[in-house]
Amino acid sequence: MPSGVREVVRAPPTRRRAAHTVVTMVDVVVVGAGPNGLAAAVILARAGLAVEVYEAGETIGGGCRTAELTLPGYHHDVCAGAHPMAVASPFFRAFDLAAHGVEMLAPEVSYAHPLDGGVAGLAWRDLDRTVAGLGRDGAAWRRLFEPLMRRWAEVVALTMSDLRPPPLNVGAGVRYGRRVLEQISPLWNLRFREDAAPALFTGVSAHAIMPPRAFASAGVALLLGTLAHVDGWVIPRGGSQAVVDALAADLLAHGGRIVTGHRVGSFDEFRDVRTILLDTAPAELLRIAGDRLPARYARRLERFRYGGAACKVDFALSGPVPWRAEGCDRAGTLHLIGTRAEAVAAEKAVAAGEHAERPYVLAIQPGTVDPSRAPAGAHTLYTYAHVPNGSPRDISAEIITQIERFAPGFRDLVLATHVRTAADLPTYNPNYIGGDISAGAMTTLQIPFRPAPRWNPYATPLPGVYLCSSSTPPGPGVHGMSGLHAARHALRDRFGITTDPLALLSDSTR
């Protein structure tokens, strides 16, 4: 399905009853066509409900879009670029992206962490190869990840749950929890003796955009680090847009309808709709609901904390990045910061509302496995650096300096750049308040209690209105699980349908 299509008429008949009433005669409206919104829509449509999706942007995708940002023929992932969760999450395993025509490509090196002096820590998909490259710390790396790898599906089920029931498997929960506690305690540095392994781990922990010893940072590092040695940090052929286009095509095949270029202004637009799911940040729920929300719940949403942000810079390159350290050219993702101590200092600066002198830079080079992203011989490079929330600063110069530190001569390859500052990001996606691509700070309390302390975090006090975005558990990432959990509640509470959503996805007759 062309992602720029403004309206796809595959839904039941609709009629316009009043100037501000857009939809009637449907069961469910989903606001926002990101991965979670589309995941919820697919499940609800497969349950036999009439579903319509409204997207403010001219294309679907939210944080999972691909576009020619720099030059014609150079296809850049606008936000998410590597997708370990998209092949690991229960939603996508049941949905089966491969069966829907999406080819996930796995680099030999899931992620790399170069250090000064032309060396790097390399997280190969092959754990044995990773261990062999980490010298004296290889055995410690194995002890950290091999037990989680053996139970990876159970670790994923725990971390991608709604964080309310007890773990399905106590053993996997204990193994994971014990390692999280180690990495947030004063013991976190005792496991390793050299520089590469602790830097390699800390680079992954910084994905949480929190100081590395925070609960979320340790949890993210252990989950993503485990997946790096299972199926790898995969990259979709052609771009991340392929993932959401597959979801949209399935929704249309089951009678759904998608309207793009329409930012919902009020619930008045959907007066006759039984159920509304919002793939939005709490700030958008407040805007759309107006004065309908109870004052206490509204105050909780107003107090919802947004976290550190990103400045995104994309490059069109005349050739591959000339990494000094061997093996970095085979990595899909790289963390550019230097030692563990440098990563800690940079993330602490951002948490304090300051710009790091040497920022943490995440880089993705899709051309490692997908030559379709650029003309023959050329490459694209995806980067973002962590900055304080709301920062208007263009830090592309700092990003280039950090790349040059580990890849001398990089500047000479740059044909064009595209910059989106943290202050610009909400224009691209209203969910990214102040440039927070996690749609809410990953603090210890805001991991399970997103967006407010409630047993059911997806249901709002308004009957039939649910949140299904990354501002609900399990949080950020292209996994579809927030959409799945919200859809489960809506099916049961509003329509009396108790079928397991995963069964709806795996039933080929639907």
Side-chain angles (χ1 to χ4, degrees):
M1 183 208 62
S3 58
V5 169
R6 183 172 182 79
E7 185 167 312
V8 182
V9 185
R10 289 281 310 263
T14 65
R15 54 191 173 90
R16 190 176 299 272
R17 288 181 38 163
H20 300 293
T21 303
V22 176
V23 176
T24 61
M25 298 177 64
V26 298
D27 299 307
V28 181
V29 160
V30 177
V31 179
N36 282 312
L38 289 172
V42 164
I43 290 167
L44 294 162
R46 281 174 169 254
L49 302 175
V51 180
E52 297 207 348
V53 177
Y54 283 79
E55 166 58 43
E58 291 299 326
T59 61
I60 63 170
C64 202
R65 293 185 177 116
T66 304
E68 293 180 326
L69 298 176
T70 54
L71 298 171
Y74 291 79
H75 302 278
H76 302 271
D77 287 326
V78 181
C79 190
H83 299 279
M85 293 186 185
V87 291
S89 85
F91 171 82
F92 278 113
R93 293 209 308 275
F95 181 75
D96 192 351
L97 284 167
H100 288 80
V102 181
E103 187 179 1
M104 290 295 199
L105 307 170
E108 286 184 279
V109 178
S110 294
Y111 59 95
H113 194 115
L115 299 168
D116 294 322
V119 297
L122 304 174
W124 299 84
R125 275 188 295 139
D126 182 343
L127 177 64
D128 291 338
R129 198 167 183 180
T130 303
V131 168
L134 290 176
R136 290 193 300 165
D137 287 336
W141 191 268
R142 185 187 298 279
R143 288 192 298 272
L144 185 63
F145 283 109
E146 193 169 54
L148 299 179
M149 289 172 57
R150 288 198 294 264
R151 312 292 283 272
W152 72 267
E154 293 158 8
V155 171
V156 166
L158 169 64
T159 56
M160 295 191 192
S161 72
D162 64 6
L163 308 181
R164 294 302 185 273
L168 296 178
N169 186 287
V170 175
V174 168
R175 287 182 177 88
Y176 178 77
R178 189 172 65 226
R179 285 162 172 77
V180 169
L181 292 175
E182 173 196 305
Q183 290 301 314
I184 65 175
S185 78
L187 303 176
W188 81 313
N189 251 334
L190 295 183
R191 183 179 288 268
F192 301 120
R193 300 182 180 183
E194 299 183 348
D195 291 332
L200 193 63
F201 185 89
T202 309
V204 186
S205 73
H207 281 238
I209 320 185
M210 295 285 290
R213 280 180 59 185
F215 182 86
S217 304
V220 164
L222 289 165
L223 173 62
L224 296 183
T226 298
L227 297 179
H229 301 306
V230 179
D231 289 319
W233 287 15
V234 296
I235 294 172
R237 184 180 296 280
S240 297
Q241 190 77 46
V243 174
V244 291
D245 283 353
L247 292 171
D250 190 83
L251 171 62
L252 299 178
H254 289 86
R257 181 171 176 264
I258 300 172
V259 179
T260 61
H262 179 94
R263 188 178 184 186
V264 173
S266 167
F267 287 139
D268 287 341
E269 297 180 23
F270 310 116
R271 290 173 184 166
D272 297 336
V273 176
R274 292 180 62 184
T275 302
I276 301 173
L277 284 79
L278 295 99
D279 184 7
T280 69
E284 278 291 279
L285 171 57
L286 284 165
R287 181 187 66 82
I288 295 169
D291 60 2
R292 289 177 172 82
L293 290 171
R296 183 178 180 185
Y297 184 75
R299 284 195 299 270
R300 286 174 172 172
L301 296 189
E302 289 166 352
R303 291 197 296 265
F304 185 73
R305 286 182 55 191
Y306 296 95
C311 176
K312 177 79 158 41
V313 182
D314 291 282
F315 298 90
L317 305 176
S318 61
V321 179
W323 302 108
R324 178 184 286 135
E326 185 178 352
C328 287
D329 59 329
R330 301 164 83 171
T333 302
L334 299 100
H335 304 132
L336 311 178
I337 185 61
T339 64
R340 167 173 269 189
E342 289 179 275
V344 171
E347 295 306 289
K348 281 186 175 180
V350 170
E354 303 170 357
H355 289 85
E357 183 177 348
R358 280 182 162 181
Y360 170 92
V361 176
L362 182 145
I364 298 175
Q365 44 188 17
T368 302
V369 288
D370 183 8
S372 74
R373 301 293 187 94
H379 284 259
T380 64
L381 184 69
Y382 161 126
T383 71
Y384 69 70
H386 293 169
V387 296
N389 191 283
S391 169
R393 277 181 53 179
D394 171 359
I395 63 165
S396 54
E398 290 91 331
I399 289 175
I400 291 172
T401 297
Q402 198 73 304
I403 299 171
E404 278 274 339
R405 175 183 173 187
F406 304 110
F410 169 77
R411 285 187 179 88
D412 299 334
L413 301 174
V414 177
L415 302 174
T417 62
H418 177 273
V419 180
R420 199 171 256 134
T421 69
D424 294 334
L425 278 172
T427 303
Y428 156 69
N429 188 334
N431 287 352
Y432 296 159
I433 308 296
D436 175 6
I437 59 177
S438 298
M442 296 294 286
T443 65
T444 302
L445 287 178
Q446 275 197 179
I447 296 172
F449 299 120
R450 297 166 75 86
R454 293 168 64 87
W455 180 251
N456 181 348
Y458 312 98
T460 75
L462 300 179
V465 177
Y466 299 81
L467 274 171
C468 66
S469 69
S470 295
S471 298
T472 63
V478 178
H479 46 61
M481 293 302 294
S482 297
L484 180 146
H485 295 313
R488 186 195 308 273
H489 286 285
L491 285 172
R492 183 191 63 201
D493 299 341
R494 302 296 292 174
F495 302 99
I497 299 173
T498 58
T499 306
D500 182 352
L502 295 177
L504 294 173
L505 291 169
S506 59
D507 186 349
S508 61
T509 64
R510 292 182 180 271

